[in-house]
Amino acid sequence: MKRTLWPGVVVLALTVAACGSATRQESTPTGSAAAAPASKLVVWDWKSGEPYAKTYIEKAKADFAKKHPNVTVEFVPQPFEQYYTLLGAAMQTKTGPDVMLFNGGGQIRDRADSLLPLDEYVAEDKSRLAGWEAFAKDGKTYGAPVTLQGHPIYYNKALYEKAGIAAPATTWDEFLANCDKLKKATGAACFALGNKEGIGPQFWLSGMGSGVLTPAEYDDWIAGKRDWKSPNVKKIFEMFKETGDKKLNNEGANSTAMFTDIFSVFNTGKAAHIIGLMSDIGHWKDFGEFIGPDKVGIMLAPTVTDGAMPSLPYDGGIGYAVAKWTKDPKAAADLVRSLTTTDALSSFSAEAGAIASDTTISAPQDAPVVGEIVAQLKAGKPALHVAMDSKTIDLMGRLSQKLLSGSATVDEAVEELAASDQEN
Amino acid sequence: MPTRNTSPAVRPEESGRAVEGGTKRERARHGAARRRGRSERFAPYVLIAPAVLIIVALRLYPLALGVNFSFTGDGDANGTAVGLANYLELLDDPLFQTALANVGLLVLLLPVAVAIPGLLATFIYLKVPGHRFFRSVYFFPAVLSPVIVGAIFNLMLSFDGPLNELLGTIGLGPVDWLGDPGVAKFAVVGVQIWATFGMALVVFLAGFATLDASLLDAARVDGASLRQSIWHVIIPSLSQTIQFVFVTTMIGMLTSMFGLLYVMTSGGPEGSTYLPEYYIWIQQGQMNRPALASAASTVLFLIMLVVGLLQISVLRRAGRED
């Protein structure tokens, strides 16, 4: 025993003085290093390695080279599954990249204290690009949006025709009636829901929320004043549970992965609706390839509450940010601007199948549903779940699985979410 | 005793010469001996120094840092001492409680994980028909990485997958293997056992190699059944091997299920398949809570320390029995 004890003693002795920190603290940079222009900027993302991003990256690099011919740029693509883990580790040691890609919302807000506010650099781009709110915290902008990400409710027009439904429902009751018709005529489930990772309720909350919350409640929610006691908030979760109770979802929703098993359920006509994405994956382009571009439709959330104004929920999707410790903030910010030029973004939009943040780019002709999405952008509002912190989102994922399996009631779930949301 | 009696006869002569002479050479020789004595005394320390330094610099120091971090805050409180706040938060977090409860479940399932390779090894030792074939087939999963195993079983166990189809043909309803919290944890542990029992099987077979065959023959002559031979001959003879497999299987279950969890359930459904290491990873990487993750790591370390010390004492006792 003696032999095994002494390391423990050492550990305890070192522990008593709880100093130091889990992430590295601020340190003042030495003068000369801070003043010298960076000769190289390192960019981390999960896009630049993809073939569809090649032209986009080339155009951005060319634009940047014109402004900073002496600065070389290195793009380091990382696997997305590991991205935030790797980035988190790099940020703690401050050896991370100068410029990095972020998902809008919680991911960038949680790390805002390591990022450089970009407001003074991107002022010119503010009106041309949409989706800034997802990259802002406490009034400061930390990233420039590249794409817009949103959660349209897609439906399969071919199944609708088979079931004899002329147009998508505008109320929840009508929608449920349509689900019945679709099931009888085509055998398809109403919703394709993949909730293995617990992402389902995020899409549900944002996809359906605008039909349930009043406009005032909606705006308050986004502004951070979330009234969890409101019957309308509870109603959104009741509707989610209803889809499980009434077997409106595909079978085995809790063990089907959202990324990317569930999309094939919609693609093969086994489900009539899916709350999908606008950019990157699980969107109009993917669906169009399987069920035909002209058979993909989008609908607004069915109205549940009188006075609700259904709208397209969307935010800045992905965007580039600059690390606080970069040696040449001006060059790094210019690189971010080069990555969001109209020219570069139109390439990305066309080749990657994304709704770009640049509002001056016109929609491609071969996908009519894109026109419908773009038409909804003006009236669209930020998605409800993006405004929440990642801890509450994570909790919501687990609770949603309980709602579907019946091991939690809506009241319990809303209460737990309220407690978590108000704590953060 | 005899040597002591003879030595005085020699010594007086030597000491006499030393007193007589007392030359520099003599003193130098004594000095060299002393030096040699000193260097011999230090030699072991010098020789183990590299190993100790590596352990201190690469193991104990980071460990101490990690424990230290666990008493500091996250985010805005980064770097400030927060006392036991992280540990209290852990105790309060139902997710971490689930993770610890699942560690308990693993310990309870340990006998099953040891019995399966033990039984199969017994059958192979008893030369059941096709034992050569089974010997290699059983080891095969052990060479697959957890990610590949997880991906295979994701397909097998998916709701519309082949296993449920098979159940359907014999009239049993589909089971949501990875979507039902009561089933998923057993499904994952089952896959872990499937993936790793090959290694334990090999250890058992090695143990059988030392088994005295005449004991089994004697039992057979006395008319012992298979069950009796296993219970009264094989298990007592293999007690050391069984204990060794217990220890290694335990360590394997507690430290190497991350890959399977990551691929198969992501900790779900309803957080029911969380283990401490998965919790640590989520807090560090997804929630941006490195200090909380440090606290969870410390708790996991303490659990492993206790388990490890218990196992060492079990192994020591087993060693003394012989």
PDB file of all heavy atoms in Angstrom, chain B residues 34-68:
ATOM      1  N   ARG B  34      35.286   3.717  -0.499  1.00  0.00           N
ATOM      2  CA  ARG B  34      34.173   4.523  -0.022  1.00  0.00           C
ATOM      3  C   ARG B  34      33.420   5.135  -1.192  1.00  0.00           C
ATOM      4  O   ARG B  34      32.208   5.155  -1.236  1.00  0.00           O
ATOM      5  CB  ARG B  34      34.711   5.605   0.917  1.00  0.00           C
ATOM      6  CG  ARG B  34      34.182   5.421   2.324  1.00  0.00           C
ATOM      7  CD  ARG B  34      34.340   6.636   3.190  1.00  0.00           C
ATOM      8  NE  ARG B  34      35.456   7.497   2.926  1.00  0.00           N
ATOM      9  CZ  ARG B  34      36.680   7.351   3.505  1.00  0.00           C
ATOM     10  NH1 ARG B  34      36.897   6.351   4.320  1.00  0.00           N
ATOM     11  NH2 ARG B  34      37.631   8.213   3.235  1.00  0.00           N
ATOM     12  N   ARG B  35      34.282   5.657  -2.158  1.00  0.00           N
ATOM     13  CA  ARG B  35      33.634   6.281  -3.324  1.00  0.00           C
ATOM     14  C   ARG B  35      32.806   5.257  -4.083  1.00  0.00           C
ATOM     15  O   ARG B  35      31.692   5.529  -4.516  1.00  0.00           O
ATOM     16  CB  ARG B  35      34.702   6.890  -4.245  1.00  0.00           C
ATOM     17  CG  ARG B  35      34.982   8.347  -3.935  1.00  0.00           C
ATOM     18  CD  ARG B  35      35.578   9.032  -5.127  1.00  0.00           C
ATOM     19  NE  ARG B  35      36.808   8.412  -5.574  1.00  0.00           N
ATOM     20  CZ  ARG B  35      38.009   8.588  -4.973  1.00  0.00           C
ATOM     21  NH1 ARG B  35      38.102   9.369  -3.921  1.00  0.00           N
ATOM     22  NH2 ARG B  35      39.070   8.004  -5.428  1.00  0.00           N
ATOM     23  N   ARG B  36      33.426   4.070  -4.232  1.00  0.00           N
ATOM     24  CA  ARG B  36      32.713   3.026  -4.964  1.00  0.00           C
ATOM     25  C   ARG B  36      31.422   2.701  -4.210  1.00  0.00           C
ATOM     26  O   ARG B  36      30.368   2.565  -4.786  1.00  0.00           O
ATOM     27  CB  ARG B  36      33.594   1.780  -5.096  1.00  0.00           C
ATOM     28  CG  ARG B  36      33.094   0.888  -6.206  1.00  0.00           C
ATOM     29  CD  ARG B  36      34.126  -0.150  -6.579  1.00  0.00           C
ATOM     30  NE  ARG B  36      34.529  -0.961  -5.462  1.00  0.00           N
ATOM     31  CZ  ARG B  36      35.808  -1.099  -5.064  1.00  0.00           C
ATOM     32  NH1 ARG B  36      36.774  -0.456  -5.717  1.00  0.00           N
ATOM     33  NH2 ARG B  36      36.124  -1.851  -4.048  1.00  0.00           N
ATOM     34  N   GLY B  37      31.505   2.694  -2.897  1.00  0.00           N
ATOM     35  CA  GLY B  37      30.311   2.431  -2.086  1.00  0.00           C
ATOM     36  C   GLY B  37      29.252   3.479  -2.334  1.00  0.00           C
ATOM     37  O   GLY B  37      28.082   3.160  -2.520  1.00  0.00           O
ATOM     38  N   ARG B  38      29.732   4.771  -2.376  1.00  0.00           N
ATOM     39  CA  ARG B  38      28.758   5.831  -2.561  1.00  0.00           C
ATOM     40  C   ARG B  38      28.103   5.734  -3.942  1.00  0.00           C
ATOM     41  O   ARG B  38      26.901   5.843  -4.084  1.00  0.00           O
ATOM     42  CB  ARG B  38      29.436   7.190  -2.368  1.00  0.00           C
ATOM     43  CG  ARG B  38      28.431   8.266  -1.982  1.00  0.00           C
ATOM     44  CD  ARG B  38      29.098   9.612  -1.866  1.00  0.00           C
ATOM     45  NE  ARG B  38      30.323   9.525  -1.088  1.00  0.00           N
ATOM     46  CZ  ARG B  38      31.365  10.350  -1.260  1.00  0.00           C
ATOM     47  NH1 ARG B  38      31.307  11.299  -2.170  1.00  0.00           N
ATOM     48  NH2 ARG B  38      32.451  10.232  -0.537  1.00  0.00           N
ATOM     49  N   SER B  39      28.968   5.509  -4.963  1.00  0.00           N
ATOM     50  CA  SER B  39      28.404   5.479  -6.310  1.00  0.00           C
ATOM     51  C   SER B  39      27.492   4.264  -6.483  1.00  0.00           C
ATOM     52  O   SER B  39      26.503   4.321  -7.183  1.00  0.00           O
ATOM     53  CB  SER B  39      29.505   5.482  -7.363  1.00  0.00           C
ATOM     54  OG  SER B  39      30.233   4.284  -7.264  1.00  0.00           O
ATOM     55  N   GLU B  40      27.874   3.207  -5.748  1.00  0.00           N
ATOM     56  CA  GLU B  40      26.982   2.051  -5.831  1.00  0.00           C
ATOM     57  C   GLU B  40      25.643   2.342  -5.177  1.00  0.00           C
ATOM     58  O   GLU B  40      24.604   1.862  -5.594  1.00  0.00           O
ATOM     59  CB  GLU B  40      27.630   0.842  -5.152  1.00  0.00           C
ATOM     60  CG  GLU B  40      28.358  -0.031  -6.148  1.00  0.00           C
ATOM     61  CD  GLU B  40      29.183  -1.106  -5.471  1.00  0.00           C
ATOM     62  OE1 GLU B  40      28.875  -1.418  -4.304  1.00  0.00           O
ATOM     63  OE2 GLU B  40      30.118  -1.590  -6.109  1.00  0.00           O
ATOM     64  N   ARG B  41      25.745   3.202  -4.131  1.00  0.00           N
ATOM     65  CA  ARG B  41      24.500   3.543  -3.468  1.00  0.00           C
ATOM     66  C   ARG B  41      23.623   4.391  -4.382  1.00  0.00           C
ATOM     67  O   ARG B  41      22.406   4.276  -4.391  1.00  0.00           O
ATOM     68  CB  ARG B  41      24.820   4.293  -2.174  1.00  0.00           C
ATOM     69  CG  ARG B  41      23.972   3.770  -1.044  1.00  0.00           C
ATOM     70  CD  ARG B  41      24.294   4.304   0.321  1.00  0.00           C
ATOM     71  NE  ARG B  41      24.792   5.637   0.428  1.00  0.00           N
ATOM     72  CZ  ARG B  41      26.018   5.934   0.902  1.00  0.00           C
ATOM     73  NH1 ARG B  41      26.831   4.953   1.256  1.00  0.00           N
ATOM     74  NH2 ARG B  41      26.410   7.180   1.014  1.00  0.00           N
ATOM     75  N   PHE B  42      24.278   5.264  -5.172  1.00  0.00           N
ATOM     76  CA  PHE B  42      23.491   6.153  -6.025  1.00  0.00           C
ATOM     77  C   PHE B  42      23.078   5.516  -7.343  1.00  0.00           C
ATOM     78  O   PHE B  42      22.135   5.957  -7.982  1.00  0.00           O
ATOM     79  CB  PHE B  42      24.263   7.449  -6.318  1.00  0.00           C
ATOM     80  CG  PHE B  42      24.243   8.382  -5.151  1.00  0.00           C
ATOM     81  CD1 PHE B  42      25.420   8.798  -4.543  1.00  0.00           C
ATOM     82  CD2 PHE B  42      23.016   8.820  -4.646  1.00  0.00           C
ATOM     83  CE1 PHE B  42      25.383   9.647  -3.452  1.00  0.00           C
ATOM     84  CE2 PHE B  42      22.973   9.661  -3.552  1.00  0.00           C
ATOM     85  CZ  PHE B  42      24.155  10.090  -2.951  1.00  0.00           C
ATOM     86  N   ALA B  43      23.814   4.475  -7.737  1.00  0.00           N
ATOM     87  CA  ALA B  43      23.569   3.876  -9.049  1.00  0.00           C
ATOM     88  C   ALA B  43      22.098   3.536  -9.292  1.00  0.00           C
ATOM     89  O   ALA B  43      21.556   3.889 -10.341  1.00  0.00           O
ATOM     90  CB  ALA B  43      24.443   2.633  -9.210  1.00  0.00           C
ATOM     91  N   PRO B  44      21.432   2.905  -8.344  1.00  0.00           N
ATOM     92  CA  PRO B  44      20.023   2.561  -8.624  1.00  0.00           C
ATOM     93  C   PRO B  44      19.170   3.783  -8.923  1.00  0.00           C
ATOM     94  O   PRO B  44      18.350   3.758  -9.821  1.00  0.00           O
ATOM     95  CB  PRO B  44      19.543   1.882  -7.348  1.00  0.00           C
ATOM     96  CG  PRO B  44      20.722   1.708  -6.471  1.00  0.00           C
ATOM     97  CD  PRO B  44      21.882   2.429  -7.035  1.00  0.00           C
ATOM     98  N   TYR B  45      19.465   4.872  -8.163  1.00  0.00           N
ATOM     99  CA  TYR B  45      18.652   6.074  -8.388  1.00  0.00           C
ATOM    100  C   TYR B  45      18.894   6.632  -9.777  1.00  0.00           C
ATOM    101  O   TYR B  45      17.988   7.061 -10.471  1.00  0.00           O
ATOM    102  CB  TYR B  45      18.942   7.134  -7.329  1.00  0.00           C
ATOM    103  CG  TYR B  45      18.593   6.653  -5.941  1.00  0.00           C
ATOM    104  CD1 TYR B  45      19.586   6.297  -5.026  1.00  0.00           C
ATOM    105  CD2 TYR B  45      17.249   6.539  -5.561  1.00  0.00           C
ATOM    106  CE1 TYR B  45      19.249   5.831  -3.759  1.00  0.00           C
ATOM    107  CE2 TYR B  45      16.909   6.075  -4.307  1.00  0.00           C
ATOM    108  CZ  TYR B  45      17.920   5.722  -3.402  1.00  0.00           C
ATOM    109  OH  TYR B  45      17.571   5.260  -2.169  1.00  0.00           O
ATOM    110  N   VAL B  46      20.193   6.641 -10.159  1.00  0.00           N
ATOM    111  CA  VAL B  46      20.531   7.151 -11.493  1.00  0.00           C
ATOM    112  C   VAL B  46      19.855   6.296 -12.555  1.00  0.00           C
ATOM    113  O   VAL B  46      19.301   6.796 -13.528  1.00  0.00           O
ATOM    114  CB  VAL B  46      22.062   7.151 -11.696  1.00  0.00           C
ATOM    115  CG1 VAL B  46      22.406   7.489 -13.139  1.00  0.00           C
ATOM    116  CG2 VAL B  46      22.704   8.131 -10.735  1.00  0.00           C
ATOM    117  N   LEU B  47      19.862   4.997 -12.322  1.00  0.00           N
ATOM    118  CA  LEU B  47      19.314   4.104 -13.337  1.00  0.00           C
ATOM    119  C   LEU B  47      17.793   4.231 -13.470  1.00  0.00           C
ATOM    120  O   LEU B  47      17.261   4.111 -14.565  1.00  0.00           O
ATOM    121  CB  LEU B  47      19.684   2.648 -13.005  1.00  0.00           C
ATOM    122  CG  LEU B  47      21.174   2.340 -13.211  1.00  0.00           C
ATOM    123  CD1 LEU B  47      21.480   0.926 -12.744  1.00  0.00           C
ATOM    124  CD2 LEU B  47      21.558   2.502 -14.671  1.00  0.00           C
ATOM    125  N   ILE B  48      17.125   4.484 -12.353  1.00  0.00           N
ATOM    126  CA  ILE B  48      15.669   4.601 -12.492  1.00  0.00           C
ATOM    127  C   ILE B  48      15.247   6.037 -12.783  1.00  0.00           C
ATOM    128  O   ILE B  48      14.075   6.291 -13.065  1.00  0.00           O
ATOM    129  CB  ILE B  48      14.899   4.078 -11.259  1.00  0.00           C
ATOM    130  CG1 ILE B  48      15.234   4.913 -10.033  1.00  0.00           C
ATOM    131  CG2 ILE B  48      15.129   2.598 -11.037  1.00  0.00           C
ATOM    132  CD1 ILE B  48      14.227   4.720  -8.912  1.00  0.00           C
ATOM    133  N   ALA B  49      16.216   6.974 -12.750  1.00  0.00           N
ATOM    134  CA  ALA B  49      15.854   8.384 -12.942  1.00  0.00           C
ATOM    135  C   ALA B  49      15.084   8.630 -14.239  1.00  0.00           C
ATOM    136  O   ALA B  49      14.059   9.322 -14.220  1.00  0.00           O
ATOM    137  CB  ALA B  49      17.097   9.249 -12.886  1.00  0.00           C
ATOM    138  N   PRO B  50      15.552   8.111 -15.388  1.00  0.00           N
ATOM    139  CA  PRO B  50      14.803   8.395 -16.622  1.00  0.00           C
ATOM    140  C   PRO B  50      13.346   7.965 -16.518  1.00  0.00           C
ATOM    141  O   PRO B  50      12.439   8.728 -16.872  1.00  0.00           O
ATOM    142  CB  PRO B  50      15.541   7.576 -17.683  1.00  0.00           C
ATOM    143  CG  PRO B  50      16.887   7.341 -17.128  1.00  0.00           C
ATOM    144  CD  PRO B  50      16.740   7.285 -15.655  1.00  0.00           C
ATOM    145  N   ALA B  51      13.147   6.771 -15.986  1.00  0.00           N
ATOM    146  CA  ALA B  51      11.768   6.277 -15.882  1.00  0.00           C
ATOM    147  C   ALA B  51      10.948   7.157 -14.949  1.00  0.00           C
ATOM    148  O   ALA B  51       9.812   7.535 -15.254  1.00  0.00           O
ATOM    149  CB  ALA B  51      11.768   4.829 -15.388  1.00  0.00           C
ATOM    150  N   VAL B  52      11.570   7.524 -13.812  1.00  0.00           N
ATOM    151  CA  VAL B  52      10.847   8.355 -12.847  1.00  0.00           C
ATOM    152  C   VAL B  52      10.535   9.716 -13.458  1.00  0.00           C
ATOM    153  O   VAL B  52       9.413  10.222 -13.345  1.00  0.00           O
ATOM    154  CB  VAL B  52      11.686   8.519 -11.557  1.00  0.00           C
ATOM    155  CG1 VAL B  52      11.079   9.598 -10.669  1.00  0.00           C
ATOM    156  CG2 VAL B  52      11.753   7.192 -10.822  1.00  0.00           C
ATOM    157  N   LEU B  53      11.537  10.293 -14.165  1.00  0.00           N
ATOM    158  CA  LEU B  53      11.315  11.610 -14.765  1.00  0.00           C
ATOM    159  C   LEU B  53      10.177  11.553 -15.782  1.00  0.00           C
ATOM    160  O   LEU B  53       9.338  12.456 -15.833  1.00  0.00           O
ATOM    161  CB  LEU B  53      12.600  12.101 -15.445  1.00  0.00           C
ATOM    162  CG  LEU B  53      13.642  12.647 -14.473  1.00  0.00           C
ATOM    163  CD1 LEU B  53      14.895  13.068 -15.218  1.00  0.00           C
ATOM    164  CD2 LEU B  53      13.082  13.821 -13.682  1.00  0.00           C
ATOM    165  N   ILE B  54      10.174  10.504 -16.583  1.00  0.00           N
ATOM    166  CA  ILE B  54       9.116  10.385 -17.588  1.00  0.00           C
ATOM    167  C   ILE B  54       7.758  10.280 -16.902  1.00  0.00           C
ATOM    168  O   ILE B  54       6.800  10.959 -17.279  1.00  0.00           O
ATOM    169  CB  ILE B  54       9.375   9.158 -18.499  1.00  0.00           C
ATOM    170  CG1 ILE B  54      10.523   9.493 -19.461  1.00  0.00           C
ATOM    171  CG2 ILE B  54       8.121   8.793 -19.284  1.00  0.00           C
ATOM    172  CD1 ILE B  54      10.998   8.307 -20.265  1.00  0.00           C
ATOM    173  N   ILE B  55       7.710   9.478 -15.858  1.00  0.00           N
ATOM    174  CA  ILE B  55       6.425   9.327 -15.159  1.00  0.00           C
ATOM    175  C   ILE B  55       5.998  10.641 -14.514  1.00  0.00           C
ATOM    176  O   ILE B  55       4.851  11.056 -14.611  1.00  0.00           O
ATOM    177  CB  ILE B  55       6.523   8.205 -14.096  1.00  0.00           C
ATOM    178  CG1 ILE B  55       6.614   6.863 -14.804  1.00  0.00           C
ATOM    179  CG2 ILE B  55       5.327   8.232 -13.162  1.00  0.00           C
ATOM    180  CD1 ILE B  55       6.896   5.699 -13.882  1.00  0.00           C
ATOM    181  N   VAL B  56       6.981  11.324 -13.904  1.00  0.00           N
ATOM    182  CA  VAL B  56       6.635  12.577 -13.234  1.00  0.00           C
ATOM    183  C   VAL B  56       6.225  13.634 -14.256  1.00  0.00           C
ATOM    184  O   VAL B  56       5.195  14.293 -14.116  1.00  0.00           O
ATOM    185  CB  VAL B  56       7.823  13.077 -12.382  1.00  0.00           C
ATOM    186  CG1 VAL B  56       7.578  14.512 -11.926  1.00  0.00           C
ATOM    187  CG2 VAL B  56       8.012  12.167 -11.185  1.00  0.00           C
ATOM    188  N   ALA B  57       7.006  13.769 -15.339  1.00  0.00           N
ATOM    189  CA  ALA B  57       6.747  14.855 -16.278  1.00  0.00           C
ATOM    190  C   ALA B  57       5.535  14.575 -17.156  1.00  0.00           C
ATOM    191  O   ALA B  57       4.779  15.489 -17.467  1.00  0.00           O
ATOM    192  CB  ALA B  57       7.982  15.085 -17.156  1.00  0.00           C
ATOM    193  N   LEU B  58       5.366  13.343 -17.555  1.00  0.00           N
ATOM    194  CA  LEU B  58       4.298  13.055 -18.512  1.00  0.00           C
ATOM    195  C   LEU B  58       3.052  12.460 -17.887  1.00  0.00           C
ATOM    196  O   LEU B  58       2.019  12.373 -18.534  1.00  0.00           O
ATOM    197  CB  LEU B  58       4.810  12.118 -19.609  1.00  0.00           C
ATOM    198  CG  LEU B  58       5.973  12.667 -20.449  1.00  0.00           C
ATOM    199  CD1 LEU B  58       6.375  11.670 -21.512  1.00  0.00           C
ATOM    200  CD2 LEU B  58       5.563  13.981 -21.103  1.00  0.00           C
ATOM    201  N   ARG B  59       3.151  12.022 -16.643  1.00  0.00           N
ATOM    202  CA  ARG B  59       1.959  11.435 -16.015  1.00  0.00           C
ATOM    203  C   ARG B  59       1.506  12.227 -14.796  1.00  0.00           C
ATOM    204  O   ARG B  59       0.398  12.722 -14.748  1.00  0.00           O
ATOM    205  CB  ARG B  59       2.254   9.996 -15.581  1.00  0.00           C
ATOM    206  CG  ARG B  59       2.559   9.091 -16.732  1.00  0.00           C
ATOM    207  CD  ARG B  59       1.395   8.190 -17.009  1.00  0.00           C
ATOM    208  NE  ARG B  59       1.567   7.523 -18.277  1.00  0.00           N
ATOM    209  CZ  ARG B  59       0.773   6.576 -18.716  1.00  0.00           C
ATOM    210  NH1 ARG B  59      -0.233   6.196 -17.996  1.00  0.00           N
ATOM    211  NH2 ARG B  59       0.967   6.013 -19.879  1.00  0.00           N
ATOM    212  N   LEU B  60       2.396  12.324 -13.807  1.00  0.00           N
ATOM    213  CA  LEU B  60       1.961  12.907 -12.545  1.00  0.00           C
ATOM    214  C   LEU B  60       1.724  14.406 -12.663  1.00  0.00           C
ATOM    215  O   LEU B  60       0.742  14.922 -12.138  1.00  0.00           O
ATOM    216  CB  LEU B  60       2.992  12.602 -11.446  1.00  0.00           C
ATOM    217  CG  LEU B  60       3.121  11.121 -11.117  1.00  0.00           C
ATOM    218  CD1 LEU B  60       4.159  10.909 -10.028  1.00  0.00           C
ATOM    219  CD2 LEU B  60       1.784  10.552 -10.673  1.00  0.00           C
ATOM    220  N   TYR B  61       2.618  15.094 -13.387  1.00  0.00           N
ATOM    221  CA  TYR B  61       2.450  16.546 -13.499  1.00  0.00           C
ATOM    222  C   TYR B  61       1.147  16.898 -14.220  1.00  0.00           C
ATOM    223  O   TYR B  61       0.353  17.699 -13.707  1.00  0.00           O
ATOM    224  CB  TYR B  61       3.671  17.168 -14.177  1.00  0.00           C
ATOM    225  CG  TYR B  61       3.540  18.654 -14.384  1.00  0.00           C
ATOM    226  CD1 TYR B  61       3.442  19.519 -13.298  1.00  0.00           C
ATOM    227  CD2 TYR B  61       3.494  19.196 -15.661  1.00  0.00           C
ATOM    228  CE1 TYR B  61       3.298  20.876 -13.476  1.00  0.00           C
ATOM    229  CE2 TYR B  61       3.349  20.552 -15.854  1.00  0.00           C
ATOM    230  CZ  TYR B  61       3.249  21.388 -14.763  1.00  0.00           C
ATOM    231  OH  TYR B  61       3.101  22.736 -14.948  1.00  0.00           O
ATOM    232  N   PRO B  62       0.877  16.289 -15.410  1.00  0.00           N
ATOM    233  CA  PRO B  62      -0.412  16.573 -16.058  1.00  0.00           C
ATOM    234  C   PRO B  62      -1.593  16.181 -15.185  1.00  0.00           C
ATOM    235  O   PRO B  62      -2.607  16.871 -15.154  1.00  0.00           O
ATOM    236  CB  PRO B  62      -0.386  15.729 -17.321  1.00  0.00           C
ATOM    237  CG  PRO B  62       1.033  15.396 -17.560  1.00  0.00           C
ATOM    238  CD  PRO B  62       1.698  15.379 -16.229  1.00  0.00           C
ATOM    239  N   LEU B  63      -1.429  15.084 -14.464  1.00  0.00           N
ATOM    240  CA  LEU B  63      -2.508  14.647 -13.573  1.00  0.00           C
ATOM    241  C   LEU B  63      -2.776  15.714 -12.526  1.00  0.00           C
ATOM    242  O   LEU B  63      -3.927  16.103 -12.283  1.00  0.00           O
ATOM    243  CB  LEU B  63      -2.105  13.331 -12.902  1.00  0.00           C
ATOM    244  CG  LEU B  63      -3.110  12.729 -11.941  1.00  0.00           C
ATOM    245  CD1 LEU B  63      -4.320  12.229 -12.695  1.00  0.00           C
ATOM    246  CD2 LEU B  63      -2.482  11.592 -11.156  1.00  0.00           C
ATOM    247  N   ALA B  64      -1.679  16.223 -11.945  1.00  0.00           N
ATOM    248  CA  ALA B  64      -1.828  17.265 -10.930  1.00  0.00           C
ATOM    249  C   ALA B  64      -2.464  18.512 -11.538  1.00  0.00           C
ATOM    250  O   ALA B  64      -3.338  19.139 -10.931  1.00  0.00           O
ATOM    251  CB  ALA B  64      -0.476  17.595 -10.319  1.00  0.00           C
ATOM    252  N   LEU B  65      -2.039  18.870 -12.755  1.00  0.00           N
ATOM    253  CA  LEU B  65      -2.625  20.038 -13.425  1.00  0.00           C
ATOM    254  C   LEU B  65      -4.127  19.837 -13.618  1.00  0.00           C
ATOM    255  O   LEU B  65      -4.920  20.748 -13.370  1.00  0.00           O
ATOM    256  CB  LEU B  65      -1.981  20.223 -14.797  1.00  0.00           C
ATOM    257  CG  LEU B  65      -0.676  21.003 -14.875  1.00  0.00           C
ATOM    258  CD1 LEU B  65      -0.299  21.193 -16.333  1.00  0.00           C
ATOM    259  CD2 LEU B  65      -0.813  22.348 -14.199  1.00  0.00           C
ATOM    260  N   GLY B  66      -4.474  18.642 -14.088  1.00  0.00           N
ATOM    261  CA  GLY B  66      -5.889  18.342 -14.333  1.00  0.00           C
ATOM    262  C   GLY B  66      -6.702  18.458 -13.064  1.00  0.00           C
ATOM    263  O   GLY B  66      -7.765  19.075 -13.045  1.00  0.00           O
ATOM    264  N   VAL B  67      -6.166  17.902 -11.983  1.00  0.00           N
ATOM    265  CA  VAL B  67      -6.875  17.986 -10.704  1.00  0.00           C
ATOM    266  C   VAL B  67      -6.976  19.449 -10.285  1.00  0.00           C
ATOM    267  O   VAL B  67      -8.020  19.920  -9.830  1.00  0.00           O
ATOM    268  CB  VAL B  67      -6.135  17.156  -9.633  1.00  0.00           C
ATOM    269  CG1 VAL B  67      -6.791  17.358  -8.276  1.00  0.00           C
ATOM    270  CG2 VAL B  67      -6.157  15.688 -10.005  1.00  0.00           C
ATOM    271  N   ASN B  68      -5.912  20.165 -10.515  1.00  0.00           N
ATOM    272  CA  ASN B  68      -5.880  21.584 -10.178  1.00  0.00           C
ATOM    273  C   ASN B  68      -6.959  22.347 -10.955  1.00  0.00           C
ATOM    274  O   ASN B  68      -7.710  23.142 -10.395  1.00  0.00           O
ATOM    275  CB  ASN B  68      -4.485  22.120 -10.510  1.00  0.00           C
ATOM    276  CG  ASN B  68      -4.208  23.414  -9.790  1.00  0.00           C
ATOM    277  OD1 ASN B  68      -4.993  23.819  -8.932  1.00  0.00           O
ATOM    278  ND2 ASN B  68      -3.135  24.065 -10.158  1.00  0.00           N
TER     279      ASN B  68
END
